[in-house]
Amino acid sequence: MTSPRRSHWDDVYTTKPADTVSWFQDDPTPSLDMIAQTGLGTGDPIVDIGGGASMLIDRLLDAGHSAMTVLDIALAGLAVAQQRLGARAGRVTWIAQDVTVWQPPQDAFSIWHDRAVFHFLVDEADRLAYRSALDQGVRASGFVILAPFALSGPERCSGLPVRRYSADMLQAELGPAYHLIEQQRQTHMTPAGNHQNFIWCLFRKTPTSAAAEP
């Protein structure tokens, strides 16, 4: 059975052009800048949570990255990106799944990137499930990039309520096994010309975090 959450996002991507949704950005510079700050190479595995039809995967392929996974709850969103990429889509692992029920391979990723997914998890149980997947998927000394709406950001997105964050709030969500390295505020202009304030945070998982996890 298709969940209401998946139905919502599949409906978004089948009824609206991907470049008209409020979160669309043609130039994913904030993501690329934070990925560059990790200092990791193009062969280090990256997972883009909620990547959907995002242009980030195109830019990473252009830069020579070779170990990329895109996870999104909306199969329709992934299909937009796959069609756009053509043959290059075969160089990416695509996963159509809700991140809150996903069980990634242990220590599979050096970078966990999430722009505009975490803020939709308004229920604590969903955030705990997200954290469980993150803990499992990110290897020790790996990096986590989270970019939800800032405290000054919108209260809703795509008709859904969101939970807004400061860097301290994100640190509290991740816990002591992750250390904040960098934070930046960004104002995103939507295709309709509206402004959305994001908080971008780069965390690093401690080298010994596996022992600290429950």
Side-chain angles (χ1 to χ4, degrees), residues 50-153:
S54 167
M55 299 293 292
L56 176 60
I57 201 68
D58 304 54
R59 302 294 180 254
L60 291 174
L61 283 168
D62 292 344
H65 285 269
S66 59
M68 292 168 294
T69 297
V70 178
L71 178 143
D72 199 285
I73 192 172
L75 186 60
L78 296 177
V80 172
Q82 291 165 342
Q83 183 173 16
R84 185 182 66 232
L85 287 167
R88 295 207 299 169
R91 294 158 55 184
V92 179
T93 299
W94 305 92
I95 301 174
Q97 193 164 26
D98 185 337
V99 66
T100 64
V101 298
W102 185 42
Q103 295 189 10
Q106 186 73 43
D107 301 332
F109 303 105
S110 296
I111 300 176
W112 176 287
H113 173 273
D114 170 354
R115 173 182 178 267
V117 171
F118 193 66
H119 60 212
F120 284 110
L121 304 181
V122 296
D123 293 334
E124 184 178 8
D126 283 338
R127 294 196 299 277
L128 289 173
Y130 180 103
R131 163 71 189 280
S132 177
L134 185 151
D135 283 339
Q136 183 167 312
V138 177
R139 59 189 54 170
S141 299
F143 295 88
V144 177
I145 298 169
L146 293 181
F149 283 154
L151 293 176
S152 57

Side-chain angles (χ1 to χ4, degrees), residues 29-40 60 65 111 145 202:
T29 293
S31 298
L32 296 172
D33 285 348
M34 281 216 159
I35 290 171
Q37 284 187 51
T38 68
L40 296 180
L60 291 174
H65 285 269
I111 300 176
I145 298 169
L202 174 63

Side-chain angles (χ1 to χ4, degrees), residues 19-35:
D19 60 356
T20 65
V21 297
S22 63
W23 55 92
F24 175 79
Q25 56 175 2
D26 182 57
D27 179 10
T29 293
S31 298
L32 296 172
D33 285 348
M34 281 216 159
I35 290 171

